Amino acid sequence: MNAQEIEHKVKNLLSQMTLEEKVGQMTQVDFSVIGDPKEQNAEDQINPAKLEDAVLKHHVGSILNAPLNQQVGSIFHPSFTSANNAQSVEIWRKLTRTVQDAAARSRLKIPVIYGIDAIHGATYTENSVLFPQAINMAATFNAELAFKEGEITAREVRVSGLQWNFSTVMDIGRQPLWPRLWETFGEDVHLATVMGTSYIKGHQGDNFSAVDKAPTCLKHYVGYSYPLNGKDRTPAWIGERTLREYFLPTFEAGIKAGSPTVMVNSAEVDGIPGHANHHYLTTILRGELGFKGFTVSDWADIKRLYTRDKMAASEKEAVKIAVMAGIDMSMVPFDFSFYDLLIDLVKSGEVPMSRIDEAVSRILTVKYQAGLFEPKPLLPIEGNFATAEAIETNRQAARESIILAKNDHNILPLKKDTNILVTGPTANLLNVMNGGWTITWQGDAEDLYPQEKLTVLEAIQEKSTGKVTYIGGDAFDAPIDVQQVVEEAKNHDVILLSLGEKPYTETAGNIESLNLDQAQVELANAAIATGKPVILLTLGGRPRIITSIAERASGVILGFLPGMEGGEAIADILYGDYNPNGKLPVSYPRNTNGITPYDYKPMESFEGNTYNPLYAFGHGLSYTTFATSGLKAEKEKIRMDENINVTVNVKNTGALTGKETVLLYINDVAASVTRPNKQLKAFKKVELNPGQTESVSFTLTPHDLSFIGVDLKRIVEPGDFKVMVGNEIVGFTVTE
Ligand code: BGC
């Protein structure tokens, strides 16, 4: 169906809808509203009476989330029980079929759109391909892998009968304390833009009505990721220039890439909650960015304008504020309060029908675009779900996402017959490699993880021909016998010290300090004191402070959250079966408050101020070496509206084949708004054999040279620019 046909159909349908049917379309409820808690994979988790009430009586337009199975609690966060958990692909097909059958019995037969958080693969479908989390995907600097992740995720979501993915996170990760840092593609605008848009293109294809494609959702618009105090759902202080320069561009790119839905910031920016911000949701999103799709609230956030923010004097006023600010669909999620209140508001004239028609038209348009009105049979499970090829892509993504940060005297790779002592709380768990949104919301239900996947310890045991000894509790809450570690070290050549964090997301992951747990520090100190070489491996969503350990360790591997194939990927790197090439997508702080990003301003390196992270943005070693040389700008002068080409040679100067990401930064030498010391504007990943050289070329556009000026408009200013690659710098001048 082309755009005109869709427009026509939407108008026609809208003209037949009652107010109740329209407001129903704007209502999204949680699975619990139509279901009862039952055993996992029970056939009868949907309660037919509740389903009728939601879909036929309240006309709900959308359902989200997975069933809640009683037996699953949250091991690590007693106050946060897991809100839901994964079902088999067969059960999902039945559940979603039942929902669509109910919608097909409604007066106008408008399909329900079923949404899910499939943020690193189909989170809530058992045995789906679960990729490295976004922070790791960013570390690959490989846009093709993000594209493939999008393709595979969309296919597995659709094979599960699900239709809409609350992914991808386009927030940029510039606040390391924030417990969702790992859901971002890191601190850099360009990197996040490239990775996020590649994912969207893979996920949606040319046409997301295809049976293996699905609409994505850009979240969390906008400024959510930069809470001043580091805690989830707390205020950000972002001025409009900074917002436009750092936080909006990724969303703008996601809209251009065709994402038809946007989820709203659960917190507030500059005193205005995301859900009340007309300026962001309407003036900028619609007026400037030209977004044509629909916006969905985040979880319960319209109510919270009243219950939390005290911005509204009643829940009804909260609904009015949010809808008039530009929210099209409310993730209510547990009741029909939004539906009842909005109907009242329209009847009393407080919300005009035109605003309802606008929101509903947008929602129906996306439903038509997604092919929901003409449903095709689901793809067969066989050949489309957890295929060997998809698992291999995942393994490759995991390998490319792991960062070798230190390798003194080439301690790595290890020989296979090395006697290795493995210790630490993250060595023998799958959940620490996957993080939140894995099987359950918090990702911490280890007993639900696929047992055939390998932990780091198990992958080492498979590969090693030497002695492998493991001393560690099986989880964070099982104490490790430090004395035994010290004793056993004598019988081993090397210690693998596997530290890090439990899985978490959202407010359950809030912390007060980036310091590692004291128990882990004590284990590290004892291991190092044995005098045996220590290889530090970190797993977890945030860069916890490891400085004093890393300085004394012989090798450091930063694993972050490499996903379900992470154990194997790490063992591949430890033993040299894979040559590491991941690079840091964030600056790794040296100290808890050392959270300056790589694109710092001049005053951050003036009069004693320094950018002094433990590991800089872009850092990552290989088992071979690379050298860049011959950096050249094609011209010395260009006009403001011209492109400029830049070339550089990169050579593999070591003895092994390997991949290198060439990073190109620019600096605007003098400008009317202070400019970062450098900003990434392009990158390319190349694979080179020993001795091989490749010439890599880049084109810089006027957009790459632009910034948000004094009057909040994007401009290019004439003057000198520097281009930096490796240790080389070339200059060029921009004239009017
Ligand atoms: C999160 C969103 C998520 C939504 C639906 C919220 O709590 O902030 O990222 O998409 O829940 O599960």
Side-chain angles (χ1 to χ4, degrees):
M1 233 184 280
N2 65 32
Q4 248 181 345
E5 283 167 331
I6 291 180
E7 202 185 320
H8 180 74
K9 293 230 177 223
V10 168
K11 268 203 189 123
N12 185 31
L13 188 53
L14 193 70
S15 70
Q16 300 170 53
M17 291 170 80
T18 62
L19 171 62
E20 289 72 15
E21 283 165 337
K22 289 177 184 175
V23 172
Q25 283 303 308
M26 297 170 68
T27 304
Q28 184 187 54
V29 293
D30 179 68
F31 182 88
S32 60
V33 172
I34 61 160
D36 294 323
K38 289 268 163 70
E39 291 292 296
Q40 199 172 355
N41 287 324
E43 298 266 343
D44 59 347
Q45 297 179 80
I46 292 183
N47 174 326
K50 285 182 167 183
L51 180 66
E52 294 261 328
D53 186 42
V55 176
L56 298 177
K57 183 155 173 255
H58 290 96
H59 321 285
V60 300
S62 181
I63 297 176
L64 87 153
N65 227 338
L68 164 74
N69 303 126
Q70 285 160 319
Q71 76 275 23
V72 182
S74 176
I75 313 169
F76 296 128
H77 308 289
S79 56
F80 290 84
T81 50
S82 289
N84 35 57
N85 58 285
Q87 309 294 317
S88 71
V89 63
E90 291 83 4
I91 284 291
W92 264 126
R93 287 161 81 99
K94 288 191 181 137
L95 298 176
T96 50
R97 174 82 267 152
T98 307
V99 170
Q100 294 315 333
D101 286 349
R105 292 197 302 275
S106 66
R107 192 176 73 91
L108 295 170
K109 305 188 184 353
I110 302 175
V112 167
I113 186 164
Y114 204 119
I116 203 85
D117 290 274
I119 71 159
H120 66 132
T123 301
Y124 291 116
T125 308
E126 285 175 355
N127 299 314
S128 63
V129 176
L130 292 175
F131 279 84
Q133 295 283 4
I135 193 84
N136 285 66
M137 293 307 294
T140 70
F141 281 82
N142 186 337
E144 200 187 318
L145 284 172
F147 182 91
K148 286 187 181 162
E149 180 193 8
E151 276 187 327
I152 292 165
T153 302
R155 192 164 66 226
E156 299 202 351
V157 161
R158 290 300 310 277
V159 167
S160 309
L162 299 157
Q163 296 148 328
W164 176 25
N165 188 356
F166 304 131
S167 185
T168 183
V169 170
M170 293 308 259
D171 304 307
I172 52 167
R174 294 173 78 85
Q175 166 51 289
L177 276 168
W178 186 47
R180 307 187 77 173
L181 178 82
W182 52 274
E183 294 185 50
T184 76
F185 292 109
E187 76 190 33
D188 179 62
V189 178
H190 179 72
L191 177 59
T193 299
V194 171
M195 299 307 281
T197 54
S198 301
Y199 176 94
I200 292 166
K201 288 176 189 159
H203 200 286
Q204 299 192 166
D206 296 332
N207 180 352
F208 55 78
S209 72
V211 39
D212 58 346
K213 300 290 173 197
T216 55
C217 184
L218 310 172
K219 65 189 196 182
H220 307 77
Y221 182 83
V222 59
Y224 176 48
S225 59
Y226 203 51
L228 189 64
N229 71 17
K231 295 195 176 158
D232 189 42
R233 292 174 158 85
T234 61
W237 295 14
I238 306 174
E240 188 153 333
R241 182 171 305 101
T242 306
L243 187 96
R244 288 175 178 278
E245 182 143 348
Y246 295 88
F247 296 89
L248 272 178
T250 46
F251 285 93
E252 183 172 9
I255 291 165
K256 277 209 185 98
S259 187
T261 70
V262 162
M263 191 186 293
V264 178
N265 174 3
S266 250
E268 67 170 55
V269 177
D270 197 18
I272 312 289
H275 290 72
N277 202 323
H278 183 270
H279 183 55
Y280 292 177
L281 291 172
T282 299
T283 314
I284 295 181
L285 184 65
R286 305 287 173 180
E288 289 184 35
L289 306 187
F291 178 61
K292 298 272 187 300
F294 72 86
T295 56
V296 59
S297 83
D298 202 344
W299 189 265
D301 280 321
I302 295 182
K303 276 182 207 286
R304 285 184 189 147
L305 294 177
Y306 165 58
T307 58
R308 181 191 64 183
D309 302 323
K310 313 296 176 203
M311 176 163 242
S314 65
E315 205 177 319
K316 187 169 176 182
E317 194 187 354
V319 170
K320 179 179 167 184
I321 292 171
V323 171
M324 293 315 291
I327 309 270
D328 299 317
M329 182 183 277
S330 171
M331 189 187 287
V332 187
F334 292 128
D335 55 40
F336 302 109
S337 53
F338 171 83
Y339 172 90
D340 293 333
L341 295 169
L342 186 53
I343 289 172
D344 282 356
L345 285 163
V346 178
K347 285 188 175 156
S348 65
E350 286 172 85
V351 170
M353 190 60 122
S354 56
R355 174 69 193 101
I356 303 295
D357 286 347
E358 177 181 65
V360 176
S361 300
R362 290 168 180 163
I363 294 165
L364 293 176
T365 301
V366 174
K367 288 186 174 184
Y368 274 109
Q369 289 169 338
L372 303 188
F373 282 90
E374 296 168 334
K376 300 182 196 90
L378 298 182
L379 287 173
I381 301 170
E382 182 68 32
N384 292 297
F385 184 81
T387 63
E389 200 190 335
I391 293 168
E392 189 47 41
T393 303
N394 188 17
R395 186 166 302 139
Q396 186 58 21
R399 289 182 183 128
E400 294 198 27
S401 81
I402 286 156
I403 298 148
L404 176 64
K406 179 176 181 183
N407 193 15
D408 265 10
H409 309 296
N410 295 326
I411 178 90
L412 294 172
L414 299 174
K415 293 203 182 62
K416 297 241 161 94
D417 62 1
T418 307
N419 296 324
I420 182 167
L421 174 62
V422 179
T423 186
T426 58
N428 197 26
L429 288 170
L430 293 169
N431 67 43
V432 294
M433 296 190 292
N434 282 280
W437 306 112
T438 308
I439 304 168
T440 61
W441 174 43
Q442 292 296 324
D444 55 1
E446 184 72 11
D447 50 344
L448 296 181
Y449 275 65
Q451 290 313 303
E452 72 281 7
K453 297 296 175 189
L454 303 182
T455 64
V456 173
L457 172 68
E458 289 162 351
I460 290 173
Q461 284 166 334
E462 285 225 334
K463 231 180 248 284
S464 166
T465 59
K467 180 162 68 169
V468 181
T469 306
Y470 170 57
I471 302 172
D474 280 327
F476 286 82
D477 45 4
I480 295 171
D481 186 338
V482 175
Q483 208 37 51
Q484 202 191 349
V485 172
V486 172
E487 279 305 309
E488 271 297 338
K490 294 179 190 139
N491 310 320
H492 293 80
D493 306 314
V494 62
I495 303 174
L496 179 76
L497 181 63
S498 189
L499 306 182
E501 295 187 315
K502 300 165 187 175
Y504 54 80
T505 185
E506 303 187 45
T507 50
N510 283 345
I511 51 173
E512 300 266 325
S513 160
L514 284 174
N515 281 330
L516 265 183
D517 298 341
Q518 196 49 30
Q520 296 191 51
V521 175
E522 281 163 20
L523 175 68
N525 286 340
I528 291 164
T530 64
K532 291 284 175 173
V534 168
I535 294 154
L536 169 66
L537 166 68
T538 61
L539 292 165
R542 276 173 293 222
R544 303 300 287 259
I545 302 304
I546 53 168
T547 308
S548 85
I549 306 168
E551 275 166 357
R552 293 173 292 156
S554 303
V556 176
I557 297 175
L558 308 174
F560 289 98
L561 297 169
M564 224 39 111
E565 307 302 326
E568 282 195 50
I570 288 165
D572 285 345
I573 286 170
L574 278 173
Y575 289 100
D577 289 340
Y578 190 73
N579 189 358
N581 52 58
K583 285 188 185 287
L584 266 170
V586 289
S587 301
Y588 202 108
R590 183 176 292 277
N591 295 300
T592 50
N593 286 0
I595 57 176
T596 308
Y598 88 91
D599 50 352
Y600 58 85
K601 292 295 185 71
M603 67 179 73
E604 291 174 280
S605 66
F606 194 67
E607 286 186 343
N609 288 341
T610 49
Y611 172 63
N612 185 28
L614 179 61
Y615 303 117
F617 174 88
H619 175 70
L621 305 172
S622 163
Y623 294 146
T624 188
T625 48
F626 297 95
T628 46
S629 64
L631 178 65
K632 259 198 293 255
E634 166 204 35
K635 292 179 185 165
E636 281 175 12
K637 267 197 179 127
I638 57 165
R639 282 194 327 270
M640 262 156 58
D641 56 354
E642 271 184 297
N643 290 349
I644 182 164
N645 294 327
V646 176
T647 53
V648 68
N649 297 321
V650 51
K651 182 174 183 186
N652 182 340
T653 51
L656 276 178
T657 298
K659 289 188 181 177
E660 169 71 337
T661 302
V662 183
L663 303 169
L664 180 148
Y665 299 95
I666 68 152
N667 169 246
D668 184 342
V669 175
S672 56
V673 172
T674 62
R675 305 311 306 140
N677 76 99
K678 62 177 185 179
Q679 268 184 316
L680 186 73
K681 291 296 173 184
F683 61 87
K684 246 176 216 170
K685 194 167 192 173
V686 293
E687 180 162 25
L688 297 173
N689 295 322
Q692 192 185 345
T693 302
E694 195 168 314
S695 165
V696 178
S697 52
F698 302 97
T699 301
L700 293 172
T701 64
H703 189 269
D704 293 325
L705 309 181
S706 70
F707 63 91
I708 306 298
V710 174
D711 61 359
L712 301 180
K713 299 259 157 36
R714 191 168 277 283
I715 53 166
V716 178
E717 277 182 352
D720 292 342
F721 284 79
K722 287 193 268 187
V723 178
M724 294 161 264
V725 179
N727 295 323
E728 293 186 294
I729 302 180
V730 289
F732 64 92
T733 305
V734 172
T735 61
E736 292 210 28

